Amino acid sequence: MIMTPTAGVHNRKEEVEQHMNGNGAIVGSRDSSMAPSGAGSDAGSDGSEPSSQNSNPLSGSSSHVDLNPPVVADPTANNGKGEVIVVKVGTSTIMRGEEEEGDIALSTLALLVDTLVALRKAGFHVVLVTSGAVGLGCKRLGLKKKPESLAGRQAMAAIGQSSLMRTYEELFGYANQHVAQILLARGDVAKSHQYFNARNTLFELLRLGVIPIVNENDTIATEELRFGDNDRLSAMVAGLLDAKWLFLLTDVDQMYTADPRSDPSAAPIDVVEDIESLMVNTGGDGKGGTQWGTGGMGTKVTAARLATAAEVTVCIMNGAKPENILNFVLPHKGKAVGTVFLPQKKVIRGGRKRWIAHGLKPTGTIYVDSGAEKAILRKKSLFAAGIIRVEGEFDAEACVHVCNSSGEEIARGLVNYSHEEIEKVKGLHSDVLLEVLGYEGPEEIIHRHNLVDVPSGCND
């Protein structure tokens, strides 16, 4: 993994520790460029939904973290209105190394559970996104490697998921902490009502003091309807819940300027202000720390790009030391070790736009001229007059890429017409749509409320 630091990357650990307030937020710097300035200055100017539709049901309380919250006898009472923290743990953390391939790392899981319970007691709402079902399924059947077929992997996921949840249930049970299983596939959030139903269910579980344990529904998800890895899934969940932090636990302490295993001059990267300034060369096959994993450092950078575009602060850190999460989010704790990605200055606001960005898979491409490109970047709708070419076959209300004449994606959105209809009206003014199509429809090909102009924050 080769990471080249530029102006947006900081390698001084003290700059992480000195910029953390009582909530763990990085708030300032000797270098003013460290602060995510202007993040809230244009709320509503992008055509996002009214605030009543985007409000966090758990918000409204003081952001101060009470380290000794009152004990609440009723486990269903709303005993915490703190910030949401999403923690993603990978298969390489859950399962042991090469010499003990296939064995579950109970000691590490116990530390993780202890940390999440501590966060709950400190007043935070916690969501755990976990991998490991396929690997545990293989262990149960004594397989030495994952099946190559989709059906085989789905069968292993079905076997391993029950073992995984049973392990979590037992560990959290020692702390009297209730948990709930949430299985999601990309197809489960492909419709807006499904996306917001998932959001409402997760918020209700958090309100009840429960820790949701989320995994991709590998048992039924096809390749076309998969998030691809749980790093991306965790970024979607973090954006869905307006999370404050997303912690991606892996098998190294943090990201480095080069592979520290082969380059002794590799330096740790502590803070990334501008994720687009990173030059990433994942190398190899991108696998995780064990043969059971599906992700690598490259998928974590992608997840960080998605989450920071949703105004989430992301940290990549060592999963073998999950207790270090407390050093980031609680005041007066120990040294915080990890790579922190600050929220992007240009973020995706509004639940509907985040659904388009994270939940949908584009099925076609629309190419636009320079005038339409400028209009889109000014938060305007896309009209037929600015369209120069259409690729792919799609129906009305499908999600499509919007690219400029050079082929660079500038936005993503939901179309009001099919590819056949757009082919007929491309380049024409809106006042002739009725004459050409033979029926009356919307003036816009894509309305600005259905356009996301932060393509770097969109899932693939």
Side-chain angles (χ1 to χ4, degrees):
M1 179 67 184
I2 307 300
M3 306 299 300
T4 303
T6 66
V9 181
H10 301 258
N11 294 88
R12 297 183 297 274
K13 176 57 68 179
E14 63 270 17
E15 292 200 4
V16 178
E17 297 169 350
Q18 291 181 7
H19 312 315
M20 299 176 70
N21 64 9
N23 300 320
I26 300 177
V27 295
S29 173
R30 292 170 297 199
D31 175 4
S32 60
S33 65
M34 283 284 294
S37 60
S41 60
D42 60 348
S45 64
D46 62 351
S48 59
E49 300 91 337
S51 59
S52 61
Q53 296 183 28
N54 301 324
S55 60
N56 185 329
L58 304 174
S59 63
S61 65
S62 169
S63 59
H64 173 70
V65 177
D66 182 4
L67 296 181
N68 296 287
V71 176
V72 178
D74 182 2
T76 65
N78 183 6
N79 62 332
K81 294 184 179 179
E83 295 158 338
V84 176
I85 294 176
V86 178
V87 178
K88 185 266 175 179
V89 58
T91 303
S92 62
T93 299
I94 289 177
M95 303 183 73
R96 299 187 186 278
E98 298 295 333
E99 71 283 358
E100 300 175 286
E101 200 69 79
D103 287 342
I104 191 167
L106 279 174
S107 58
T108 301
L109 280 188
L111 282 174
L112 174 62
V113 167
D114 188 56
T115 300
L116 301 186
V117 170
L119 290 171
R120 280 286 303 123
K121 291 182 178 178
F124 292 97
H125 295 284
V126 180
V127 178
L128 174 62
V129 178
T130 183
S131 300
V134 174
L136 287 177
C138 292
K139 178 183 184 297
R140 290 292 178 266
L141 295 189
L143 302 184
K144 299 300 182 181
K145 62 178 182 179
K146 291 190 299 184
E148 295 183 0
S149 69
L150 175 61
R153 294 195 301 272
Q154 289 176 326
M156 293 306 103
I159 296 169
Q161 185 64 33
S162 59
S163 296
L164 184 62
M165 278 305 301
R166 183 170 64 250
T167 302
Y168 280 125
E169 282 273 6
E170 292 176 354
L171 291 174
F172 278 107
Y174 288 119
N176 294 318
Q177 172 62 56
H178 295 282
V179 296
Q181 176 179 258
I182 301 289
L183 295 177
L184 290 174
R186 197 161 185 173
D188 295 330
V189 294
K191 299 294 184 181
S192 61
H193 71 275
Q194 295 172 313
Y195 180 89
F196 288 106
N197 281 345
R199 170 185 165 95
N200 293 339
T201 298
L202 286 165
F203 270 131
E204 181 64 12
L205 288 170
L206 296 178
R207 189 191 69 81
L208 294 172
V210 175
I211 293 181
I213 300 178
V214 182
N215 197 356
E216 182 157 18
N217 196 349
D218 294 310
T219 302
I220 62 172
T222 62
E223 295 294 348
E224 293 77 15
L225 295 177
R226 286 176 52 84
F227 287 97
D229 56 76
N230 278 344
D231 293 319
R232 293 172 186 260
L233 174 60
S234 67
M236 189 276 288
V237 171
L240 183 75
L241 297 176
D242 303 309
K244 179 69 175 181
W245 284 92
L246 167 60
F247 288 93
L248 300 172
L249 306 188
T250 184
D251 51 4
V252 294
D253 286 337
Q254 58 193 123
M255 297 178 68
Y256 290 80
T257 55
D259 189 341
R261 296 170 294 186
S262 58
D263 187 348
S265 66
I269 299 175
D270 299 318
V271 179
V272 178
E273 179 191 11
D274 178 14
I275 194 169
E276 297 305 321
S277 69
L278 286 176
M279 301 297 291
V280 181
N281 177 14
T282 57
D285 57 7
K287 294 292 185 182
T290 75
Q291 63 164 298
W292 311 111
T294 58
M297 192 59 74
T299 66
K300 289 168 180 57
V301 174
T302 299
R305 181 177 288 109
L306 298 176
T308 54
E311 236 173 340
V312 181
T313 302
V314 178
C315 178
I316 296 176
M317 57 174 288
N318 198 326
K321 306 170 185 176
E323 67 276 12
N324 284 340
I325 293 175
L326 302 176
N327 299 332
F328 283 95
V329 303
L330 297 181
H332 314 304
K333 282 291 182 178
K335 185 177 181 181
V337 179
T339 298
V340 172
F341 295 78
L342 299 180
Q344 297 180 32
K345 294 178 180 178
K346 187 177 182 181
V347 298
I348 301 172
R349 302 188 187 281
R352 181 172 178 81
K353 292 198 173 186
R354 289 184 185 172
W355 162 61
I356 295 171
H358 292 170
L360 301 182
K361 190 170 185 177
T363 56
T365 304
I366 293 177
Y367 295 86
V368 301
D369 60 23
S370 59
E373 178 181 4
K374 292 177 182 177
I376 289 172
L377 297 180
R378 293 197 303 267
K379 313 293 184 183
K380 303 298 183 181
S381 300
L382 172 63
F383 295 90
I387 298 176
I388 56 179
R389 184 157 58 96
V390 181
E391 283 185 358
E393 297 181 0
F394 50 85
D395 297 323
E397 300 184 358
C399 181
V400 300
H401 302 282
V402 179
C403 298
N404 59 20
S405 57
S406 301
E408 177 188 5
E409 185 177 20
I410 60 172
R412 196 169 295 187
L414 302 181
V415 291
N416 288 325
Y417 297 95
S418 70
H419 71 282
E420 295 174 328
E421 293 167 320
I422 297 174
E423 280 284 1
K424 293 178 181 178
V425 301
K426 66 182 181 182
L428 303 179
H429 290 288
S430 301
D431 54 7
V432 300
L433 293 185
L434 175 59
E435 178 182 348
V436 174
L437 296 176
Y439 50 85
E440 187 173 2
E443 287 187 328
E444 307 89 356
I445 300 300
I446 304 179
H447 193 276
R448 65 190 181 96
H449 288 173
N450 293 326
L451 264 175
V452 179
D453 64 344
V454 188
S456 65
C458 294
N459 207 349
D460 293 329

